[in-house]
Amino acid sequence: MAKKRSRKKTKKKRIRFHRSFFLPFLITLTAAVALGVLALAAHQWIMEPVKTKTANEIQSDYEKEKPETDRAETEENDTSVGEGTEPVAPEEEPETVSKYQEELDDPAYMEENNIYSVEPVESGKVTMAFAGDVLFDDHYAITGTVRASGDISQGIMPEVMERMQAADIMMLNNEFAYSNRGTPLEEKQFTFRARPETAAYLTDLGVDIVSLANNHAYDYGPEALEDTLDTLRETGIPYVGAGRDIGEARKPVYYIVGDIKIAFVSATQIERLDTPDTKEATETSPGVFRCWNGEKLMETVREAAKNSDFVVAYIHWGTENQAELDWAQLKQAPELVAAGADLVIGDHPHCLQPIGVIQGVPVIYSLGNFWFNSKTLDTGMVEVVIDETGIVSYQFIPCLQSGCKTTLLQGAEEERVLAYMRGISEGVRIDGDGFVTW
């Protein structure tokens, strides 16, 4: 018979705290809780800002602890700043160096070789604008609107001036002398001379270069022509097509615009006589650069092509008041292209003549009067954009000379002139905005 297991009842002991124990225990517990609360608060105060720091701030703290050599390397690459810190200026990008920098750094060479420079409005491109004949002689009606005030915007309207000023390079034909000296050539029906101070109009208009290769620059003889050269130089306007001797008269003017170097050559076929009123410059006397015999002109264009990326030939030719081209223009235009001209601009006939294209080179045979007399005549500007590959766009901009003012045409009048140019121009297309393609 199995024995029953005996079960003992275990009584739980009752712990009693003596008063001598309880008071120290309570003090200790209170102190521990207080320390815990303080520790938690300290943790939140110290650690929370670290959690919310930006990556840049943490990097900045890290940089302070790095060795000097490592820190210098980091500072070269990191220009970021955190909130509340002093901003660090980013490193300046290195200036773009032109392929013509050696020339640009040699002022004496640039002056000797007629080289100028401008900053392009649009990087990698150059915008050139061209207009025809202007006259600043106070003895003719054209200046009546500006004579009293001296404000050229009363004659060439502000909206036209804006287009001129917007171009990187603006060129026109300066068909008169700046001088208070000299006497008018005998037996010449029209002779033009303006006060030297009117050369400031060119600056106001945004003109960067003028042609003097025309049949009026010599109207008051060699002294007035030399005064003209001095006045333009003092005004800061480069000129081409005339000079104190033939070397200066036939010398191209160059413009460096970014990485593009453009040559400007100018000559005149007028007058077509063996002994013209407008004297050609010689080795020892001032005059214009004549091209009735084009041999010297072609030599000059070939030289310019060797020393530049793009050649502009600005030629005074044609028959006055005739839209039809004459044989001398038709003969010389292909010769200019063969010699290396990339763009041909013509003037002298006092009226618009066709736009043509020869072996991919556009030729406008005459831009007509721009601001020259009191007649009402259609005129215009040509705006050409180029880059390193050549012509990007070619635009004819219709204008009107009327009432001794030149205005920019719009709407039906603009279309009327564009339609006229389409009608007389072969081998090209002219759209509604005047852009020419071929």
Side-chain angles (χ1 to χ4, degrees):
M1 190 174 171
K3 293 183 179 178
K4 293 183 179 180
R5 292 181 181 177
S6 61
R7 295 182 180 177
K8 289 186 179 179
K9 292 184 180 181
T10 305
K11 290 184 179 181
K12 293 182 180 180
K13 293 184 178 180
R14 195 174 198 181
I15 301 173
R16 295 179 180 274
F17 293 99
H18 193 275
R19 285 184 178 179
S20 62
F21 168 80
F22 183 79
L23 185 59
F25 173 79
L26 184 60
I27 293 172
T28 302
L29 180 60
T30 302
V33 171
L35 287 173
V37 170
L38 287 173
L40 181 61
H43 174 80
Q44 293 294 321
W45 181 68
I46 294 171
M47 297 303 294
E48 189 62 23
V50 174
K51 291 179 183 179
T52 58
K53 273 189 178 183
T54 65
N56 289 334
E57 289 177 304
I58 295 172
Q59 179 70 16
S60 177
D61 292 339
Y62 170 68
E63 293 296 335
K64 292 177 182 178
E65 298 175 1
K66 289 177 67 175
E68 286 296 322
T69 54
D70 291 346
R71 193 186 310 165
E73 291 177 4
T74 304
E75 287 173 354
E76 288 179 5
N77 300 317
D78 187 6
T79 57
S80 302
V81 294
E83 294 181 3
T85 63
E86 194 70 27
V88 179
E91 288 186 9
E92 292 184 4
E93 293 184 6
E95 292 184 5
T96 302
V97 177
S98 169
K99 66 182 180 182
Y100 296 106
Q101 196 63 46
E102 187 175 348
E103 294 181 26
L104 293 169
D105 290 339
D106 191 342
Y109 178 85
M110 291 181 67
E111 182 176 0
E112 181 183 353
N113 291 278
N114 276 359
I115 303 172
Y116 301 84
S117 67
V118 295
E119 289 296 320
V121 173
E122 183 178 356
S123 179
K125 293 183 179 179
V126 184
T127 299
M128 297 180 289
F130 302 90
D133 308 336
V134 298
L135 177 62
F136 299 161
D137 190 329
D138 287 337
H139 296 93
Y140 288 85
I142 187 63
T143 61
T145 55
V146 304
R147 201 174 296 145
S149 64
D151 182 1
I152 192 62
S153 69
Q154 299 299 309
I156 299 176
M157 295 295 97
E159 68 272 16
V160 181
M161 291 178 61
E162 287 176 11
R163 294 299 294 259
M164 298 171 74
Q165 294 164 348
D168 294 312
I169 303 172
M170 172 70 212
M171 184 178 188
L172 49 70
N173 177 45
N174 194 115
E175 191 141 351
F176 57 93
Y178 294 100
S179 183
N180 294 315
R181 301 193 301 160
T183 56
L185 298 180
E186 293 181 6
E187 298 182 2
K188 192 167 187 180
Q189 183 179 6
F190 298 105
T191 53
F192 304 137
R193 178 181 64 174
R195 293 176 290 111
E197 51 267 36
T198 62
Y201 293 162
L202 298 173
T203 303
D204 295 339
L205 292 168
V207 174
D208 298 286
I209 178 173
V210 296
S211 169
L212 295 176
N214 56 61
N215 54 305
H216 287 288
Y218 198 86
D219 278 357
Y220 280 74
E223 289 181 342
L225 176 58
E226 290 185 342
D227 286 347
T228 301
L229 307 180
D230 292 338
T231 297
L232 290 170
R233 184 174 290 276
E234 290 166 4
T235 308
I237 304 293
Y239 55 84
V240 65
R244 291 172 178 80
D245 54 43
I246 188 59
E248 181 181 6
R250 66 184 289 190
K251 196 171 188 177
V253 165
Y254 297 93
Y255 266 94
I256 296 174
V257 189
D259 263 352
I260 302 173
K261 188 177 184 183
I262 306 163
F264 294 85
V265 176
S266 189
T268 175
Q269 288 185 356
I270 313 300
E271 298 103 356
R272 302 175 180 183
L273 303 168
D274 291 334
T275 56
D277 292 330
T278 304
K279 301 302 181 185
E280 181 174 19
T282 69
E283 297 293 338
T284 58
S285 63
V288 299
F289 184 24
R290 284 174 52 80
C291 63
W292 181 238
N293 178 334
E295 183 179 347
K296 289 180 181 178
L297 173 59
M298 303 314 153
E299 288 177 0
T300 302
V301 171
R302 284 191 286 270
E303 174 197 349
K306 290 178 182 178
N307 294 310
S308 67
D309 303 302
F310 194 93
V311 178
V312 177
Y314 193 110
I315 310 299
H316 207 67
W317 58 8
T319 303
E320 288 189 5
N321 305 312
Q322 296 293 320
E324 184 177 353
L325 305 180
D326 69 28
W327 68 270
Q329 290 173 288
L330 293 171
K331 175 182 180 296
Q332 202 162 84
E335 293 174 348
L336 287 165
V337 173
D342 299 291
L343 178 67
V344 180
I345 304 291
D347 71 319
H348 172 69
H350 302 300
C351 63
L352 293 171
Q353 287 188 331
I355 299 172
V357 60
I358 301 171
Q359 298 178 18
V361 173
V363 180
I364 184 164
Y365 288 91
S366 174
L367 279 167
N369 288 352
F370 188 59
W371 192 68
F372 191 77
N373 58 28
S374 58
K375 295 180 180 179
T376 295
L377 292 170
D378 293 333
T379 183
M381 293 189 293
V382 164
E383 187 174 276
V384 181
V385 179
I386 67 171
D387 63 13
E388 291 183 348
T389 65
I391 294 177
V392 175
S393 67
Y394 183 108
Q395 184 182 19
F396 177 77
I397 304 167
C399 298
L400 182 72
Q401 176 196 268
S402 181
C404 300
K405 296 181 180 181
T406 297
T407 58
L408 194 66
L409 292 181
Q410 296 179 337
E413 280 293 284
E414 177 186 22
E415 178 53 33
R416 177 185 62 78
V417 176
L418 290 176
Y420 173 76
M421 293 301 290
R422 291 186 197 107
I424 65 172
S425 303
E426 295 182 2
V428 299
R429 296 175 298 279
I430 306 174
D431 72 11
D433 294 317
F435 285 100
V436 182
T437 55
W438 50 89

